[in-house]
mmCIF file of all heavy atoms in Angstrom:
data_model
loop_
_atom_site.group_PDB
_atom_site.id
_atom_site.type_symbol
_atom_site.label_atom_id
_atom_site.label_comp_id
_atom_site.label_asym_id
_atom_site.label_seq_id
_atom_site.Cartn_x
_atom_site.Cartn_y
_atom_site.Cartn_z
ATOM 1 N N LEU N 108 41.792 95.738 81.725
ATOM 2 C CA LEU N 108 42.091 96.423 82.983
ATOM 3 C C LEU N 108 43.298 95.812 83.672
ATOM 4 O O LEU N 108 43.677 94.679 83.393
ATOM 5 C CB LEU N 108 40.885 96.343 83.922
ATOM 6 C CG LEU N 108 40.481 94.932 84.352
ATOM 7 C CD1 LEU N 108 40.101 94.908 85.824
ATOM 8 C CD2 LEU N 108 39.329 94.413 83.506
ATOM 9 N N LYS N 115 54.285 92.958 98.787
ATOM 10 C CA LYS N 115 55.009 92.456 99.957
ATOM 11 C C LYS N 115 55.928 93.569 100.430
ATOM 12 O O LYS N 115 56.907 93.910 99.756
ATOM 13 C CB LYS N 115 55.804 91.201 99.585
ATOM 14 C CG LYS N 115 54.912 90.039 99.170
ATOM 15 C CD LYS N 115 55.717 88.813 98.784
ATOM 16 C CE LYS N 115 54.792 87.663 98.371
ATOM 17 N NZ LYS N 115 55.553 86.470 97.922
ATOM 18 N N ASP N 155 81.672 145.062 102.042
ATOM 19 C CA ASP N 155 81.765 145.799 103.305
ATOM 20 C C ASP N 155 80.391 146.352 103.663
ATOM 21 O O ASP N 155 79.379 145.937 103.088
ATOM 22 C CB ASP N 155 82.805 146.919 103.186
ATOM 23 C CG ASP N 155 82.531 147.839 101.993
ATOM 24 O OD1 ASP N 155 81.391 147.765 101.448
ATOM 25 O OD2 ASP N 155 83.413 148.606 101.601
ATOM 26 N N ASP N 156 80.387 147.316 104.617
ATOM 27 C CA ASP N 156 79.108 147.885 105.051
ATOM 28 C C ASP N 156 78.354 148.541 103.895
ATOM 29 O O ASP N 156 77.129 148.443 103.817
ATOM 30 C CB ASP N 156 79.329 148.903 106.172
ATOM 31 C CG ASP N 156 79.681 148.228 107.495
ATOM 32 O OD1 ASP N 156 79.463 146.999 107.610
ATOM 33 O OD2 ASP N 156 80.153 148.915 108.420
ATOM 34 N N GLU N 235 59.008 121.244 66.701
ATOM 35 C CA GLU N 235 60.050 121.031 67.716
ATOM 36 C C GLU N 235 59.496 120.244 68.902
ATOM 37 O O GLU N 235 60.174 119.371 69.459
ATOM 38 C CB GLU N 235 60.596 122.381 68.191
ATOM 39 C CG GLU N 235 61.327 123.164 67.105
ATOM 40 C CD GLU N 235 61.668 124.575 67.547
ATOM 41 O OE1 GLU N 235 60.749 125.301 67.971
ATOM 42 O OE2 GLU N 235 62.854 124.941 67.484
#
Side-chain angles (χ1 to χ4, degrees):
L108 63 139
K115 296 179 180 177
D155 54 15
D156 286 344
E235 295 171 306

